[in-house]
Amino acid sequence: MAMNEITVNILGRTIFYYDDDYEAFRATVDFAGEMVDVNLSFDPDEEELLPQEVALLEKIYQNPEKWLETWKASIKKDLLPKLEENPNMRRIKPVLFEQEYALDNISIIKYEGEEFQIVATFEEIEPEFENDAFSLGVSWSLKNGCLSFYVDGSLLDAFLQEKALLILVQPKKKAFRLRCGEKAEYSFAHDMYYAVVDMADQEVSCYFALDEDGMFPKKSIALFEKVYEKADLFDQMALKVLIPKIENEMREIRKTIEEPDLTVGDLLDEVCLDAAFFRPDGRMEFLYVYVGDRYDARFTVQGSYTMGFTKVLFEVTE
Protein backbone atom coordinates (compact mmCIF):
# COMPACT_ATOMS: atom_id res chain seq x y z
CA MET A 1 0.00 0.00 0.00
CA ALA A 2 1.28 3.43 -0.87
CA MET A 3 0.29 5.15 2.37
CA ASN A 4 -0.77 4.53 5.94
CA GLU A 5 -2.29 7.91 6.78
CA ILE A 6 -4.20 10.69 5.06
CA THR A 7 -5.24 14.20 6.07
CA VAL A 8 -8.89 15.17 5.70
CA ASN A 9 -10.05 18.77 5.78
CA ILE A 10 -12.58 18.47 8.62
CA LEU A 11 -12.42 20.12 12.04
CA GLY A 12 -9.33 21.94 10.86
CA ARG A 13 -7.26 19.07 9.48
CA THR A 14 -7.79 15.55 10.83
CA ILE A 15 -5.37 12.67 10.28
CA PHE A 16 -6.90 9.29 9.42
CA TYR A 17 -4.74 6.21 10.00
CA TYR A 18 -5.08 2.96 8.07
CA ASP A 19 -6.32 -0.04 10.07
CA ASP A 20 -5.72 -3.49 8.54
CA ASP A 21 -8.47 -5.09 10.62
CA TYR A 22 -11.10 -2.69 9.28
CA GLU A 23 -9.54 -2.27 5.82
CA ALA A 24 -10.23 1.43 6.21
CA PHE A 25 -8.69 4.74 7.18
CA ARG A 26 -10.02 5.59 10.64
CA ALA A 27 -10.25 8.48 13.09
CA THR A 28 -12.37 9.39 16.12
CA VAL A 29 -13.84 12.86 15.67
CA ASP A 30 -16.63 15.16 16.82
CA PHE A 31 -19.78 15.06 14.71
CA ALA A 32 -22.52 17.47 15.78
CA GLY A 33 -21.51 17.08 19.42
CA GLU A 34 -21.08 13.29 19.33
CA MET A 35 -17.66 11.62 19.44
CA VAL A 36 -17.83 9.01 16.68
CA ASP A 37 -15.53 6.62 14.82
CA VAL A 38 -15.28 7.52 11.14
CA ASN A 39 -14.16 4.91 8.59
CA LEU A 40 -13.14 5.46 4.98
CA SER A 41 -13.15 2.03 3.33
CA PHE A 42 -10.05 1.37 1.24
CA ASP A 43 -9.15 -1.13 -1.46
CA PRO A 44 -5.45 -0.97 -2.46
CA ASP A 45 -6.48 -1.98 -5.99
CA GLU A 46 -8.75 1.05 -6.22
CA GLU A 47 -6.57 3.65 -4.54
CA GLU A 48 -7.74 6.30 -7.01
CA LEU A 49 -11.24 6.21 -5.43
CA LEU A 50 -10.07 7.35 -1.99
CA PRO A 51 -10.20 11.10 -2.85
CA GLN A 52 -13.90 10.65 -3.71
CA GLU A 53 -14.58 9.25 -0.24
CA VAL A 54 -12.64 12.10 1.34
CA ALA A 55 -14.64 14.64 -0.67
CA LEU A 56 -17.92 13.01 0.40
CA LEU A 57 -16.92 13.10 4.06
CA GLU A 58 -15.84 16.72 3.79
CA LYS A 59 -19.19 17.56 2.19
CA ILE A 60 -21.33 16.13 4.99
CA TYR A 61 -19.08 17.91 7.51
CA GLN A 62 -20.22 21.21 6.03
CA ASN A 63 -23.51 20.73 7.91
CA PRO A 64 -23.21 17.83 10.40
CA GLU A 65 -26.27 18.87 12.43
CA LYS A 66 -28.46 18.59 9.33
CA TRP A 67 -27.15 15.12 8.50
CA LEU A 68 -27.49 13.85 12.06
CA GLU A 69 -31.15 14.89 12.14
CA THR A 70 -31.74 13.46 8.65
CA TRP A 71 -30.39 10.02 9.62
CA LYS A 72 -32.31 9.99 12.90
CA ALA A 73 -35.55 11.01 11.18
CA SER A 74 -35.12 8.27 8.59
CA ILE A 75 -34.65 5.61 11.28
CA LYS A 76 -37.62 6.82 13.31
CA LYS A 77 -39.97 7.16 10.33
CA ASP A 78 -39.03 4.14 8.21
CA LEU A 79 -37.02 1.63 10.26
CA LEU A 80 -38.71 1.53 13.65
CA PRO A 81 -42.18 0.73 12.23
CA LYS A 82 -40.69 -2.27 10.38
CA LEU A 83 -39.24 -3.58 13.63
CA GLU A 84 -42.54 -2.97 15.38
CA GLU A 85 -44.25 -5.31 12.91
CA ASN A 86 -41.93 -8.21 13.75
CA PRO A 87 -43.15 -10.24 16.76
CA ASN A 88 -39.62 -11.34 17.67
CA MET A 89 -38.19 -7.83 17.90
CA ARG A 90 -37.87 -5.55 20.87
CA ARG A 91 -40.09 -2.48 20.73
CA ILE A 92 -38.18 0.75 20.16
CA LYS A 93 -40.40 3.80 20.16
CA PRO A 94 -39.11 7.02 18.51
CA VAL A 95 -38.89 8.76 21.88
CA LEU A 96 -36.80 5.88 23.28
CA PHE A 97 -34.54 6.01 20.24
CA GLU A 98 -33.95 9.71 20.85
CA GLN A 99 -33.22 9.16 24.54
CA GLU A 100 -31.31 5.89 24.51
CA TYR A 101 -29.32 5.83 21.25
CA ALA A 102 -26.41 7.95 20.09
CA LEU A 103 -24.44 8.17 16.84
CA ASP A 104 -21.48 5.80 17.21
CA ASN A 105 -19.99 5.31 13.74
CA ILE A 106 -19.93 6.84 10.25
CA SER A 107 -18.54 4.76 7.41
CA ILE A 108 -18.07 5.67 3.77
CA ILE A 109 -18.34 2.46 1.77
CA LYS A 110 -18.64 1.43 -1.87
CA TYR A 111 -20.22 -1.75 -3.13
CA GLU A 112 -19.07 -3.12 -6.45
CA GLY A 113 -20.80 -1.32 -9.29
CA GLU A 114 -22.58 1.10 -6.96
CA GLU A 115 -22.03 4.64 -5.73
CA PHE A 116 -20.44 5.58 -2.44
CA GLN A 117 -22.75 5.29 0.55
CA ILE A 118 -22.71 6.87 3.99
CA VAL A 119 -23.58 4.37 6.71
CA ALA A 120 -24.50 6.03 10.02
CA THR A 121 -24.77 3.63 12.98
CA PHE A 122 -26.47 4.45 16.28
CA GLU A 123 -25.84 2.38 19.43
CA GLU A 124 -27.52 2.07 22.81
CA ILE A 125 -25.93 4.49 25.26
CA GLU A 126 -26.41 2.25 28.31
CA PRO A 127 -27.14 -1.33 27.22
CA GLU A 128 -28.81 -3.61 29.73
CA PHE A 129 -25.89 -6.03 29.46
CA GLU A 130 -22.29 -4.78 29.30
CA ASN A 131 -20.64 -5.02 25.87
CA ASP A 132 -23.96 -5.97 24.27
CA ALA A 133 -25.17 -2.70 22.79
CA PHE A 134 -27.93 -2.99 20.19
CA SER A 135 -27.34 -0.96 17.02
CA LEU A 136 -29.49 0.62 14.30
CA GLY A 137 -28.00 2.00 11.10
CA VAL A 138 -29.01 3.75 7.92
CA SER A 139 -27.25 3.77 4.54
CA TRP A 140 -27.55 7.08 2.69
CA SER A 141 -26.70 8.42 -0.75
CA LEU A 142 -26.34 12.11 -1.55
CA LYS A 143 -27.91 11.38 -4.92
CA ASN A 144 -30.67 8.92 -4.06
CA GLY A 145 -31.35 9.47 -0.35
CA CYS A 146 -31.99 6.55 2.00
CA LEU A 147 -30.86 3.23 0.51
CA SER A 148 -31.14 0.61 3.26
CA PHE A 149 -31.15 -0.05 6.99
CA TYR A 150 -28.96 -2.12 9.28
CA VAL A 151 -29.98 -3.81 12.53
CA ASP A 152 -27.20 -5.08 14.78
CA GLY A 153 -24.78 -4.99 11.86
CA SER A 154 -26.97 -6.93 9.40
CA LEU A 155 -28.99 -5.57 6.52
CA LEU A 156 -32.61 -5.19 7.61
CA ASP A 157 -34.12 -7.85 5.32
CA ALA A 158 -31.54 -10.46 6.33
CA PHE A 159 -31.97 -9.58 9.99
CA LEU A 160 -35.76 -9.87 9.94
CA GLN A 161 -35.60 -13.07 7.93
CA GLU A 162 -33.25 -14.58 10.51
CA LYS A 163 -35.54 -13.48 13.33
CA ALA A 164 -38.59 -14.87 11.55
CA LEU A 165 -36.99 -18.33 11.44
CA LEU A 166 -36.50 -18.49 15.19
CA ILE A 167 -38.69 -20.97 17.04
CA LEU A 168 -39.38 -19.21 20.28
CA VAL A 169 -41.35 -20.15 23.36
CA GLN A 170 -42.99 -16.86 24.13
CA PRO A 171 -42.71 -16.31 27.87
CA LYS A 172 -45.55 -14.57 29.56
CA LYS A 173 -44.86 -10.96 30.38
CA LYS A 174 -45.53 -11.73 34.01
CA ALA A 175 -43.14 -10.07 36.43
CA PHE A 176 -41.89 -11.78 39.59
CA ARG A 177 -42.18 -9.91 42.88
CA LEU A 178 -39.10 -10.62 44.96
CA ARG A 179 -39.38 -10.92 48.73
CA CYS A 180 -37.37 -7.74 49.11
CA GLY A 181 -40.20 -5.91 47.32
CA GLU A 182 -38.49 -5.26 43.98
CA LYS A 183 -39.96 -6.56 40.74
CA ALA A 184 -38.02 -8.85 38.40
CA GLU A 185 -39.10 -8.30 34.81
CA TYR A 186 -38.37 -10.25 31.66
CA SER A 187 -35.95 -8.92 29.05
CA PHE A 188 -36.87 -10.44 25.70
CA ALA A 189 -33.67 -9.16 24.12
CA HIS A 190 -31.49 -11.12 26.55
CA ASP A 191 -33.83 -13.97 27.55
CA MET A 192 -33.38 -13.37 31.27
CA TYR A 193 -35.22 -11.70 34.12
CA TYR A 194 -33.73 -8.60 35.68
CA ALA A 195 -34.13 -6.46 38.81
CA VAL A 196 -32.17 -3.81 40.69
CA VAL A 197 -32.10 -4.52 44.43
CA ASP A 198 -30.48 -3.15 47.57
CA MET A 199 -28.07 -5.97 48.41
CA ALA A 200 -25.21 -5.91 50.93
CA ASP A 201 -25.77 -2.16 51.32
CA GLN A 202 -25.23 -1.62 47.59
CA GLU A 203 -27.52 -1.13 44.61
CA VAL A 204 -27.00 -4.31 42.60
CA SER A 205 -28.30 -5.34 39.17
CA CYS A 206 -29.50 -8.94 39.53
CA TYR A 207 -30.05 -11.29 36.58
CA PHE A 208 -32.03 -14.52 36.72
CA ALA A 209 -31.52 -17.19 34.04
CA LEU A 210 -34.57 -19.15 32.90
CA ASP A 211 -35.19 -22.69 34.14
CA GLU A 212 -34.41 -25.66 31.90
CA ASP A 213 -37.87 -25.47 30.30
CA GLY A 214 -37.10 -21.96 29.06
CA MET A 215 -40.22 -20.52 30.65
CA PHE A 216 -39.57 -18.86 34.02
CA PRO A 217 -36.59 -18.35 36.38
CA LYS A 218 -38.17 -20.00 39.43
CA LYS A 219 -35.02 -21.90 40.41
CA SER A 220 -32.78 -18.90 39.79
CA ILE A 221 -35.00 -16.66 41.87
CA ALA A 222 -35.18 -19.29 44.63
CA LEU A 223 -31.37 -19.27 44.64
CA PHE A 224 -31.36 -15.49 44.83
CA GLU A 225 -33.77 -15.50 47.77
CA LYS A 226 -31.51 -17.87 49.73
CA VAL A 227 -28.45 -15.75 48.96
CA TYR A 228 -30.28 -12.51 49.68
CA GLU A 229 -31.14 -13.67 53.21
CA LYS A 230 -27.39 -13.80 53.90
CA ALA A 231 -26.27 -11.16 51.40
CA ASP A 232 -23.62 -9.67 53.68
CA LEU A 233 -22.13 -13.11 54.30
CA PHE A 234 -21.99 -13.99 50.60
CA ASP A 235 -20.47 -10.57 49.85
CA GLN A 236 -17.75 -11.31 52.44
CA MET A 237 -17.23 -14.80 50.98
CA ALA A 238 -16.76 -13.35 47.50
CA LEU A 239 -14.37 -10.68 48.76
CA LYS A 240 -12.40 -13.34 50.63
CA VAL A 241 -11.66 -14.94 47.26
CA LEU A 242 -11.28 -11.65 45.39
CA ILE A 243 -8.85 -9.83 47.70
CA PRO A 244 -5.96 -12.35 47.41
CA LYS A 245 -6.43 -12.28 43.63
CA ILE A 246 -6.11 -8.49 43.66
CA GLU A 247 -3.08 -8.60 45.97
CA ASN A 248 -1.31 -11.21 43.82
CA GLU A 249 -1.97 -9.41 40.54
CA MET A 250 -1.83 -5.78 41.64
CA ARG A 251 1.21 -5.05 39.50
CA GLU A 252 -0.58 -6.32 36.40
CA ILE A 253 -3.79 -4.48 37.36
CA ARG A 254 -1.91 -1.18 37.70
CA LYS A 255 -0.30 -1.72 34.31
CA THR A 256 -3.52 -2.74 32.57
CA ILE A 257 -5.66 0.15 33.83
CA GLU A 258 -2.72 2.59 33.54
CA GLU A 259 -2.73 3.75 37.18
CA PRO A 260 0.85 3.12 38.37
CA ASP A 261 0.28 4.64 41.84
CA LEU A 262 -2.88 2.69 42.68
CA THR A 263 -2.56 0.67 45.89
CA VAL A 264 -4.47 -2.40 47.00
CA GLY A 265 -6.12 -0.33 49.70
CA ASP A 266 -7.18 2.39 47.28
CA LEU A 267 -8.72 -0.18 44.93
CA LEU A 268 -10.55 -2.01 47.70
CA ASP A 269 -11.91 1.28 49.07
CA GLU A 270 -13.53 2.00 45.70
CA VAL A 271 -14.50 -1.44 44.39
CA CYS A 272 -18.21 -2.20 44.72
CA LEU A 273 -20.63 -5.01 44.01
CA ASP A 274 -22.31 -3.99 40.77
CA ALA A 275 -24.19 -7.06 39.49
CA ALA A 276 -25.10 -10.62 40.43
CA PHE A 277 -26.09 -13.53 38.17
CA PHE A 278 -28.12 -16.51 39.35
CA ARG A 279 -28.65 -19.77 37.44
CA PRO A 280 -31.06 -22.69 37.94
CA ASP A 281 -28.25 -25.19 38.61
CA GLY A 282 -27.09 -23.28 41.69
CA ARG A 283 -24.23 -21.42 40.04
CA MET A 284 -23.85 -17.70 40.63
CA GLU A 285 -21.53 -14.83 39.86
CA PHE A 286 -20.84 -11.58 41.69
CA LEU A 287 -19.44 -8.74 39.57
CA TYR A 288 -17.29 -6.15 41.35
CA VAL A 289 -16.30 -2.94 39.58
CA TYR A 290 -13.57 -0.39 40.19
CA VAL A 291 -14.14 2.85 38.27
CA GLY A 292 -10.72 4.20 37.33
CA ASP A 293 -9.41 7.41 35.82
CA ARG A 294 -9.46 5.99 32.31
CA TYR A 295 -10.44 2.32 32.54
CA ASP A 296 -12.84 0.34 34.70
CA ALA A 297 -11.58 -2.88 36.30
CA ARG A 298 -14.20 -5.63 36.47
CA PHE A 299 -13.80 -8.68 38.70
CA THR A 300 -16.26 -11.56 38.27
CA VAL A 301 -16.26 -13.94 41.23
CA GLN A 302 -17.79 -17.30 40.26
CA GLY A 303 -19.09 -20.11 42.40
CA SER A 304 -22.18 -21.92 43.62
CA TYR A 305 -24.44 -21.90 46.64
CA THR A 306 -23.14 -25.25 47.90
CA MET A 307 -19.43 -24.82 47.11
CA GLY A 308 -19.04 -21.10 47.68
CA PHE A 309 -16.89 -18.88 45.45
CA THR A 310 -13.85 -20.46 43.82
CA LYS A 311 -12.81 -18.47 40.76
CA VAL A 312 -12.11 -14.85 39.78
CA LEU A 313 -12.08 -13.42 36.24
CA PHE A 314 -10.56 -10.01 35.53
CA GLU A 315 -11.28 -7.70 32.61
CA VAL A 316 -10.91 -4.03 31.74
CA THR A 317 -13.38 -1.76 29.97
CA GLU A 318 -12.84 1.78 28.78
Side-chain angles (χ1 to χ4, degrees):
M1 190 171 63
M3 65 191 95
N4 59 15
E5 66 180 60
I6 57 172
T7 301
V8 180
N9 188 28
I10 59 173
L11 303 176
R13 293 170 66 82
T14 302
I15 298 177
F16 283 65
Y17 295 95
Y18 185 75
D19 189 315
D20 284 305
D21 293 332
Y22 287 83
E23 296 183 344
F25 285 91
R26 309 186 74 226
T28 300
V29 295
D30 183 288
F31 190 88
E34 304 280 2
M35 293 306 296
V36 302
D37 293 327
V38 178
N39 301 331
L40 299 173
S41 62
F42 181 75
D43 183 346
D45 295 329
E46 296 183 327
E47 187 174 320
E48 70 280 0
L49 298 179
L50 185 59
Q52 297 178 40
E53 292 185 77
V54 171
L56 177 55
L57 181 61
E58 291 174 343
K59 188 164 187 176
I60 66 172
Y61 257 90
Q62 292 174 9
N63 195 341
E65 290 80 9
K66 167 201 164 185
W67 284 108
L68 179 60
E69 291 307 313
T70 297
W71 299 328
K72 290 166 64 174
S74 184
I75 287 175
K76 288 187 292 184
K77 179 183 176 183
D78 298 314
L79 174 58
L80 297 187
K82 289 183 173 65
L83 300 183
E84 186 78 19
E85 295 167 2
N86 190 290
N88 296 332
M89 271 302 304
R90 66 169 74 181
R91 303 296 181 254
I92 305 172
K93 299 294 185 183
V95 64
L96 292 180
F97 174 72
E98 284 282 0
Q99 294 172 353
E100 299 180 3
Y101 286 76
L103 183 63
D104 179 74
N105 181 281
I106 298 172
S107 295
I108 309 295
I109 62 176
K110 183 180 186 298
Y111 293 113
E112 186 176 351
E114 298 184 17
E115 63 182 305
F116 284 105
Q117 301 174 27
I118 308 159
V119 179
T121 303
F122 296 77
E123 274 198 357
E124 284 182 287
I125 300 170
E126 295 182 356
E128 189 172 347
F129 287 76
E130 193 71 26
N131 299 323
D132 194 21
F134 194 72
S135 67
L136 302 171
V138 58
S139 174
W140 199 272
S141 159
L142 294 188
K143 179 181 178 182
N144 296 311
C146 180
L147 299 174
S148 57
F149 293 103
Y150 293 82
V151 181
D152 247 11
S154 300
L155 279 168
L156 175 64
D157 291 343
F159 182 85
L160 293 182
Q161 184 178 33
E162 176 187 345
K163 289 291 180 181
L165 294 175
L166 292 177
I167 300 175
L168 298 172
V169 177
Q170 288 282 0
K172 296 177 181 178
K173 298 305 178 184
K174 169 187 173 184
F176 281 80
R177 180 69 66 178
L178 304 172
R179 291 178 192 167
C180 63
E182 300 297 339
K183 187 185 294 185
E185 299 189 76
Y186 179 72
S187 168
F188 186 85
H190 302 100
D191 201 25
M192 298 180 78
Y193 274 75
Y194 165 84
V196 177
V197 304
D198 186 352
M199 183 172 167
D201 297 324
Q202 297 165 90
E203 191 173 80
V204 181
S205 299
C206 292
Y207 300 89
F208 313 101
L210 300 178
D211 292 347
E212 293 84 349
D213 61 7
M215 294 298 290
F216 301 115
K218 291 182 180 179
K219 293 181 181 178
S220 298
I221 289 181
L223 173 61
F224 161 79
E225 298 291 8
K226 290 195 296 183
V227 171
Y228 187 79
E229 289 178 0
K230 303 176 181 179
D232 290 336
L233 174 61
F234 277 92
D235 180 40
Q236 293 170 15
M237 290 168 57
L239 289 173
K240 189 174 181 179
V241 176
L242 174 60
I243 291 173
K245 175 78 170 181
I246 291 175
E247 292 173 340
N248 291 338
E249 299 190 15
M250 195 62 202
R251 179 179 298 179
E252 184 64 25
I253 292 171
R254 291 192 195 100
K255 179 181 177 181
T256 305
I257 66 176
E258 298 181 7
E259 293 188 36
D261 298 325
L262 184 67
T263 67
V264 172
D266 291 338
L267 191 154
L268 293 177
D269 285 342
E270 297 296 329
V271 76
C272 66
L273 179 59
D274 183 70
F277 299 81
F278 300 91
R279 307 188 186 282
D281 60 1
R283 289 182 296 135
M284 56 189 178
E285 298 178 358
F286 279 16
L287 173 64
Y288 292 84
V289 175
Y290 166 78
V291 179
D293 297 332
R294 181 177 178 186
Y295 297 99
D296 295 344
R298 297 160 55 85
F299 305 92
T300 302
V301 188
Q302 299 179 330
S304 69
Y305 185 80
T306 55
M307 300 296 293
F309 295 99
T310 58
K311 185 177 181 180
V312 178
L313 303 178
F314 169 58
E315 65 174 332
V316 169
T317 58
E318 195 163 3

